Amino acid sequence: MKTVIAIGAAALLAAAQPALGGAAMAQTAPQSAPEAARNADNPALASILADYEAWLRANDPISAGMEGDKAALSRLPDVSRAHELAQEPALRRFAERLAAIDPGSLSDEDRLNHAFLASVLQRARDRIPLDTGRIGAFNSEGGPGQSMAYIASVTRITSRDDAEAWIARLEAMPDYYRHQLADARRGLETGLVQPRSVVENALSLMEPETAYAADSDPLLKPFAALPASISAADKASLRSRAAAVVADRIMPARREWVRFLRDDYLPRAPESLGLVHRPGGRDLYAFLTTGYTTTDLTPDQIHQIGLEEVARIRARMDTEMQAAGWTGDFAAFLAFLRSDPQFYATTREELLEKASEMAKRADDGLPALFGTLPRLPYGVRPVPREIEDNYTTGRYFGGSMENGVAGGYMVNTGRLDQRPLYELPALTLHEAVPGHHLQIALQQEAEEGPYFRKDANVTAFTEGWGLYAEFLGEEMGFYRTPYERFGRLSYEMWRACRLVADTGLHWLGWDIEQARACFRDNSALAPHNIETELQRYIGWPGQATAYKIGEIRLRQIRERAERELGDRFDVRRFHDALLVDGPLPLGLLDERMDRWIAEQKGRPAD
């Protein structure tokens, strides 16, 4: 799973997504005409893309700041409901301008950008009446405090201006807290609420925030190492000012969140889990799955695909179980994998070192599969201890070449008896390379195409690519034992069960045991990981459906290319064609790759 700037700050900023906002469009100057012209051959489309870039930069200062917009580093998005409603006229005007352009008159690339932006605008407009902020203000991984801690973790201070910008963001945080508290309160009033289990998990993360000391507060970590260009006296002043903002303004906001969740929300939080039990929940869930998968698949169809994938993967798992020399049944093999000490690190350092070795070995295999590699490096880091109990096994944190921040492959080093080593190769390939880091860094570094595509949040593509990257490990010879190959299949089974469980919970009205059974009976996932994942799906409806749907489509596209090109198929060119220009909704990706296949057929033989 990724944490990407494309959506503000991905999972930890998911709460902000329905209403990313900021100052008026006039605060960011439009693209210069020559630059805009490079993004479109059609002048009318170039004008729209330039204006939309200016609007997007103003409304999403997190992404803009990561893209090198220094002015944006001092702002946070306006996530208020009032601002979300105020966005609709601007979105409508952009849509009307696009509609005035005949797609048939455009070049292939312009037509693709026209269709992509039209879909982005339509989704944004359709989301506004649903008021998704009501249920998105927090989830099992926390709320605004965890979002801000993520932003702090990717903030690097290299000058006094950077320090002042971060203090300005600290000063804006009370409003960020206040607006999301209003969202959650509105959800409570209207019945669109998180269930009790999600509230309890969120509280377990938020309560410790109210007791942070200045030397351990994640919001003050950017000040830990200030550059030598700032005098000692100024360093002390900056740190004192930042600490005062946290103590006097942010800490009261944290305490109010905890009080609200504990005293107001929790007593009224239902035991029932899925959106199907909430007012308007079925319509909302159908909207969410359509957006996350970028398809017209219904929840029932997604559920059926999940069941079919479970059956297919189980057959392969049986083969690897036999290759490991196991003569007992499948359930006993899972029990063995979940309990035998040989499969578990004994210290946090050992787990991090094994992940680092695997990451470097993955780097070694990249040139054989990719013609274009990103400039931005990545590091292997532990998940912060203050959030590790409710956090996933691993994740990717996006970096920024412009701000001097490497990408991060985050490894959860807590609960070592729940972090099996046979899963670590697949996790590494998914979160680091050739998975999220490679794909997202290339997306950020894309020189061609409009700005909105640099940070486009296309979950089906991005997470589908992460799962496809696990499959690439087979071609790389990355899985060295039957246990590691079984671990790869167990991870694929995990994503197939997501289709089953997510739709089961939110569409079919399943209870937790019905959802748990697929993971417990068909994968080697550790019990703690299963419970953590289930709470994530409950609190973040629909997102889990993107992975398998995206991976299936990517593998179908590759199979089509291999079949039609035969000996002319070049895997390095194919992967470059998929990645270098950035992600697309799956239907548009099909169109682009079909054009690429046709172009390859017309190329002279090498």
Side-chain angles (χ1 to χ4, degrees):
M1 181 179 174
K2 64 181 172 44
T3 300
V4 271
I5 302 312
I7 60 170
L12 293 184
L13 268 182
Q17 276 316 287
L20 277 176
M25 177 177 161
Q27 283 193 268
T28 304
Q31 230 178 9
S32 65
E35 186 177 354
R38 287 201 299 272
N39 287 338
D41 297 322
N42 180 282
L45 181 60
S47 176
I48 296 170
L49 294 176
D51 290 345
Y52 184 66
E53 174 179 341
W55 186 85
L56 198 59
R57 285 181 180 272
N59 279 274
D60 183 1
I62 305 300
S63 295
M66 293 295 283
E67 289 289 337
D69 185 338
K70 291 296 185 182
L73 293 174
S74 62
R75 296 188 291 115
L76 288 178
D78 180 346
V79 296
S80 68
R81 176 61 174 165
H83 184 79
E84 181 181 25
L85 292 169
Q87 288 182 317
E88 206 287 330
L91 294 169
R92 174 171 42 81
R93 286 192 293 271
F94 281 123
E96 289 171 349
R97 290 172 65 186
L98 274 180
I101 299 175
D102 176 14
S105 68
L106 301 175
S107 65
D108 288 342
E109 193 64 21
D110 276 5
R111 188 163 55 252
L112 182 149
N113 287 329
H114 182 283
F116 192 0
L117 182 54
S119 70
V120 168
L121 294 170
Q122 189 60 56
R123 289 290 301 180
R125 295 179 68 195
D126 289 345
R127 180 185 290 271
I128 292 172
L130 296 172
D131 193 7
T132 55
R134 291 176 293 164
I135 202 168
F138 70 93
N139 58 31
S140 64
E141 295 179 356
Q146 285 62 50
S147 300
M148 293 301 101
Y150 167 74
I151 297 174
S153 76
V154 295
T155 294
R156 182 167 174 260
I157 295 177
T158 62
S159 66
R160 186 183 182 94
D161 285 346
D162 289 344
E164 293 288 354
W166 182 243
I167 290 175
R169 275 190 168 170
L170 291 177
E171 291 172 338
M173 286 183 193
D175 277 346
Y176 186 85
Y177 277 85
R178 179 171 57 85
H179 292 318
Q180 294 201 46
L181 183 64
D183 284 344
R185 183 173 285 116
R186 199 168 57 257
L188 196 59
E189 293 167 352
T190 59
L192 189 60
V193 291
Q194 295 283 15
R196 186 177 186 87
S197 60
V198 170
V199 184
E200 290 171 341
N201 283 333
L203 271 170
S204 73
L205 291 169
M206 293 184 191
E207 285 175 333
E209 292 182 296
T210 65
Y212 281 149
D215 61 353
S216 63
D217 197 305
L219 298 182
L220 297 176
K221 286 182 180 178
F223 290 98
L226 295 176
S229 59
I230 302 176
S231 70
D234 284 348
K235 287 178 182 177
S237 175
L238 289 166
R239 287 172 174 142
S240 176
R241 286 170 54 201
V245 174
V246 172
D248 298 340
R249 300 180 58 186
I250 296 175
M251 195 60 78
R254 289 169 168 168
R255 294 191 187 106
E256 176 56 19
W257 254 98
V258 169
R259 188 214 62 76
F260 166 72
L261 285 183
R262 183 189 60 234
D263 299 342
D264 298 346
Y265 205 112
L266 186 62
R268 297 167 62 184
E271 296 288 345
S272 59
L273 301 178
L275 280 180
V276 67
H277 302 295
R278 310 291 183 258
R282 286 176 69 85
D283 289 341
L284 175 56
Y285 186 68
F287 171 82
L288 292 172
T289 55
T290 299
Y292 281 122
T293 66
T294 69
T295 70
D296 293 328
L297 292 170
T298 67
D300 288 318
Q301 290 172 319
I302 293 170
H303 188 83
Q304 183 59 35
I305 291 170
L307 293 174
E308 292 168 1
E309 283 292 282
V310 166
R312 181 187 65 80
I313 299 164
R314 260 299 294 272
R316 284 204 60 192
M317 294 173 84
D318 288 341
T319 300
E320 293 299 341
M321 181 180 72
Q322 293 165 9
W326 189 260
T327 57
D329 63 17
F330 190 82
F333 188 58
L334 295 185
F336 165 66
L337 292 175
R338 288 170 176 157
S339 60
D340 195 292
Q342 70 173 301
F343 299 123
Y344 297 87
T346 57
T347 67
R348 292 174 181 267
E349 292 74 19
E350 181 188 359
L351 181 59
L352 208 60
E353 287 170 2
K354 287 185 179 295
S356 299
E357 183 276 329
M358 290 181 187
K360 200 60 190 172
R361 188 152 43 88
D363 286 340
D364 190 48
L366 296 182
L369 293 172
F370 302 90
T372 304
L373 297 174
R375 293 177 298 131
L376 184 73
Y378 69 96
V380 183
R381 309 170 195 152
V383 169
R385 294 196 185 189
E386 61 266 22
I387 63 173
E388 65 183 13
D389 279 353
N390 290 346
Y391 211 65
T392 49
T393 302
R395 197 162 290 187
Y396 174 71
F397 280 10
S400 169
M401 184 65 79
E402 289 79 3
N403 293 336
V405 178
Y409 165 31
M410 312 301 294
V411 180
N412 195 327
T413 59
R415 295 185 181 244
L416 291 173
D417 63 341
Q418 304 289 299
R419 315 291 177 199
L421 297 176
Y422 51 79
E423 293 177 347
L424 196 58
L427 178 70
T428 301
L429 296 177
H430 183 110
E431 303 295 349
V433 295
H436 286 328
H437 174 72
L438 187 146
Q439 182 261 308
I440 292 167
L442 284 176
Q443 179 182 353
Q444 291 172 317
E445 295 172 13
E447 295 182 358
E448 302 296 329
Y451 173 84
F452 84 92
R453 285 179 58 182
K454 282 179 177 279
D455 288 307
N457 176 32
V458 189
T459 310
F461 183 99
T462 302
E463 296 296 357
W465 176 263
L467 188 47
Y468 174 86
E470 297 173 26
F471 155 74
L472 283 181
E474 295 187 359
E475 296 185 10
M476 297 166 69
F478 200 78
Y479 305 109
R480 296 172 293 186
T481 68
Y483 298 116
E484 289 186 349
R485 291 192 293 273
F486 189 93
R488 203 285 286 180
L489 293 169
S490 181
Y491 258 35
E492 188 178 9
M493 178 66 79
W494 171 23
R495 282 38 167 268
C497 285
R498 282 179 176 178
L499 299 183
V500 176
D502 202 88
T503 51
L505 288 164
H506 294 290
W507 187 255
L508 302 177
W510 283 8
D511 60 28
I512 193 74
E513 176 55 29
Q514 288 174 288
R516 180 184 294 124
C518 187
F519 303 95
R520 182 194 61 223
D521 298 343
N522 296 290
S523 81
L525 287 180
H528 174 72
N529 293 340
I530 292 173
E531 298 310 310
T532 298
E533 289 295 321
L534 286 172
Q535 291 303 314
R536 182 179 135 210
Y537 311 149
I538 293 165
W540 196 357
Q543 193 268 354
T545 63
Y547 295 65
K548 230 348 173 146
I549 298 301
E551 182 246 1
I552 289 170
R553 185 68 62 88
L554 288 172
R555 291 182 66 171
Q556 287 173 341
I557 291 171
R558 175 163 174 181
E559 289 165 5
R560 187 162 72 245
E562 289 176 330
R563 182 176 61 253
E564 296 193 22
L565 294 177
D567 293 342
R568 300 169 70 93
F569 177 80
D570 184 321
V571 70
R572 299 169 82 234
R573 287 177 180 162
F574 173 77
H575 287 150
D576 281 5
L578 271 178
L579 295 182
V580 170
D581 291 332
L584 288 170
L586 298 183
L588 293 178
L589 182 67
D590 272 329
E591 293 178 19
R592 184 174 75 184
M593 295 308 295
D594 282 346
R595 289 203 309 272
W596 179 83
I597 291 170
E599 290 167 1
Q600 296 306 298
K601 287 180 176 179
R603 283 174 53 92
D606 291 336

